[in-house]
Amino acid sequence: VPDPSQRPAEIAIEIIRVDGERTYPVEPISRQEGEVGSLPAFRVEVPAGAAQPASFRAYEYVVQLGPSFDAGPNLVARTDTTMGGDYALNRAVLDRIMASLEFIGSTQ
């Protein structure tokens, strides 16, 4: 990646660490609670906010690494309609990644 502050256009999935709570500018379309790698997690799909085109969608997994979702840290794995490739395929690949994810050692 030539510039770490810019996501290359061909990247379809990103995984980031969020130190606090993961918030959204609009109400999610859906939210499903569960676990990823035996840690508490939830999956959301979020519609466009004010800054995105009406067709925008984001699909995310948020995994609780700290004492709570609010306190963080949280692992966020996501794709959206502005990322490379096909959104539906990217969602399916992300689902498979998260279903096979294992955490080894302490997450705190």
Side-chain angles (χ1 to χ4, degrees):
V1 179
D3 180 358
S5 67
Q6 298 293 318
R7 177 182 38 84
E10 64 273 12
I11 300 297
I13 293 171
E14 65 182 354
I15 299 174
I16 57 176
R17 181 178 185 258
V18 176
D19 287 327
E21 180 181 13
R22 180 65 167 167
T23 60
Y24 303 97
V26 295
E27 187 69 27
I29 295 167
S30 64
R31 178 179 170 130
Q32 183 179 8
E33 305 286 331
E35 290 186 348
V36 170
S38 76
L39 295 177
F42 63 88
R43 179 176 62 192
V44 295
E45 186 167 26
V46 181
Q52 291 102 8
S55 61
F56 177 86
R57 294 288 181 268
Y59 184 71
E60 299 187 357
Y61 282 82
V62 179
V63 182
Q64 179 185 321
L65 301 177
S68 70
F69 286 114
D70 294 342
N74 296 297
L75 180 79
V76 177
R78 63 180 307 279
T79 190
D80 69 46
T81 53
T82 67
M83 294 180 165
D86 176 73
Y87 178 65
L89 178 59
N90 295 346
R91 283 180 46 152
V93 170
L94 182 55
D95 286 341
R96 294 200 57 186
I97 289 170
M98 300 310 287
S100 65
L101 195 62
E102 293 181 35
F103 293 93
I104 300 170
S106 175
T107 58
Q108 306 269 332

